[in-house]
């Protein structure tokens, strides 16, 4: 059985219904960076925010 990591914008308090999943933390971060760039240009992915985002990853 494969584990996937999932993340949703709501997990860090962003008012957005987007979520994503990937088999790796790196892959998931790439999807999040792309989404943030396109949909949340006002949000800057600071090291602090990235840490918060990674802490919100769930294994499913
Ligand atoms: Zn979002």
């Amino acid at each position: 059985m494969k584990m996937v990591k999932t993340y949703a914008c709501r997990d860090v308090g962003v008012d957005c219904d987007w979520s994503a999943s990937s088999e790796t933390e790196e892959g998931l971060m790439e999807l999040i960076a792309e989404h943030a760039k396109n949909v949340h240009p006002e949000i800057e992915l600071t090291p602090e925010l990235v840490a918060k985002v990674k802490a919100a990853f769930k294994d499913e």
Side-chain angles (χ1 to χ4, degrees), residues 20-60:
S21 59
S22 176
E23 285 171 26
T24 64
E25 197 173 274
E26 295 72 29
L28 190 49
M29 260 335 284
E30 275 177 35
L31 294 173
I32 293 164
E34 186 70 21
H35 167 77
K37 197 171 68 179
N38 293 328
V39 182
H40 306 295
E42 76 285 4
I43 295 176
E44 193 189 341
L45 277 176
T46 59
E48 290 75 22
L49 183 56
V50 169
K52 194 176 161 185
V53 163
K54 285 186 175 175
F57 286 3
K58 292 185 187 75
D59 290 313
E60 282 182 11

